[in-house]
Amino acid sequence: AQSVSQHNHHVILSEAASLELGCNYSYGGTVNLFWYVQYPGQHLQLLLKYFSGDPLVKGIKGFEAEFIKSKFSFNLRKPSVQWSDTAEYFCAVNARFSGGYNKLIFGAGTRLAVHP
Amino acid sequence: EAGVAQSPRYKIIEKRQSVAFWCNPISGHATLYWYQQILGQGPKLLIQFQNNGVVDDSQLPKDRFSAERLKGVDSTLKIQPAKLEDSAVYLCASSPTGFEQFFGPGTRLTVL
């Protein structure tokens, strides 16, 4: 069955530290990959997405992610985090199912806390 | 552009009671989704509509959950009767293409 695995459930960093959140998926077909972010008290919003082309994608607020097909990975990175990056981050894979529809499968999420 | 609207934002009920959630998607979005997000987990798809037809309801507990999307716009999700394990945030999302999804604020349900 298709699944998404996020390696870290909780990450604590100091401001200006570098961030890398791991994401691996299991699905053999063509995938679209997403990172969503949920700031405290707010709804899920798209951080970045990969559909095709350059495997290094850039999103909002200085985030980027690299799609490595051979490793089934889509890790999220940011060179220098800020206190305002404190949030929960979800990796998601949009997989195509028989019947011709797409289904978004989420990882369990990583809760990031950034201390000033 | 207005986002996905959901109501109520919070609901507290006792087990065995009924509850309904409402979602108004972004105008023009043909695909609508309901997700259940239990604390500490990622959202799990319950049901997906394409216009007013059901595309996928394989993870919807049909003995107690039901959903409809009349006229291909608004949607309601109902739980009857509720169980303690239904305590979660219920998210509605919509998409124009079936790829990128836009999420509403969610309804936090507490079943006592």
Side-chain angles (χ1 to χ4, degrees):
Chain A
Q2 296 81 3
S3 65
V4 178
S5 175
Q6 292 184 238
H7 312 304
N8 312 98
H9 294 293
H10 293 93
V11 173
I12 302 173
L13 295 173
S14 298
E15 276 193 318
S18 64
L19 170 71
E20 181 159 5
L21 302 181
C23 173
N24 286 89
Y25 64 93
S26 64
Y27 180 66
T30 301
V31 293
N32 307 125
L33 300 160
F34 303 83
W35 276 96
Y36 281 87
V37 60
Q38 189 166 28
Y39 297 103
Q42 297 187 26
H43 58 276
L44 273 170
Q45 50 190 287
L46 185 67
L47 198 56
L48 50 78
K49 61 189 177 186
Y50 172 80
F51 280 17
S52 63
D54 189 345
L56 184 63
V57 293
K58 295 191 184 299
I60 59 172
K61 303 186 181 185
F63 286 90
E64 64 178 32
E66 185 175 12
F67 171 50
I68 303 179
K69 190 175 181 179
S70 61
K71 295 185 177 180
F72 297 90
S73 70
F74 190 55
N75 292 353
L76 181 70
R77 298 194 293 249
K78 186 171 184 179
S80 176
V81 294
Q82 300 173 311
W83 176 79
S84 58
D85 294 324
T86 295
E88 190 156 19
Y89 294 81
F90 293 93
C91 180
V93 172
N94 198 346
R96 191 156 188 88
F97 281 70
S98 60
Y101 67 94
N102 297 302
K103 186 171 179 175
L104 198 60
I105 300 165
F106 283 87
T110 297
R111 194 174 294 271
L112 172 67
V114 179
H115 294 299
Chain B
E1 178 183 78
V4 176
Q6 290 187 248
S7 67
R9 292 294 308 277
Y10 304 91
K11 190 73 177 179
I12 301 173
I13 62 173
E14 296 188 348
K15 61 183 178 183
R16 291 188 290 273
Q17 286 188 319
S18 302
V19 65
F21 312 127
W22 173 82
C23 173
N24 181 237
I26 294 172
S27 177
H29 284 195
T31 312
L32 184 146
Y33 313 79
W34 283 102
Y35 289 86
Q36 180 192 58
Q37 186 177 13
I38 293 172
L39 188 64
Q41 300 180 19
K44 182 187 83 172
L45 181 69
L46 292 175
I47 189 167
Q48 176 179 342
F49 292 94
Q50 179 75 18
N51 295 310
N52 53 340
V54 175
V55 173
D56 180 5
D57 63 357
S58 57
Q59 298 200 80
L60 187 74
K62 299 181 187 63
D63 58 332
R64 298 184 299 107
F65 285 64
S66 64
E68 60 181 7
R69 189 182 185 196
L70 297 176
K71 300 181 181 178
V73 183
D74 293 8
S75 178
T76 56
L77 175 70
K78 296 178 182 177
I79 307 175
Q80 181 179 7
K83 293 185 175 182
L84 296 176
E85 59 261 36
D86 298 332
S87 293
V89 176
Y90 290 85
L91 298 168
C92 180
S94 69
S95 174
T97 61
F99 290 98
E100 184 174 341
Q101 297 182 23
F102 299 82
F103 285 82
T107 296
R108 185 177 297 277
L109 174 67
T110 302
V111 182
L112 303 175

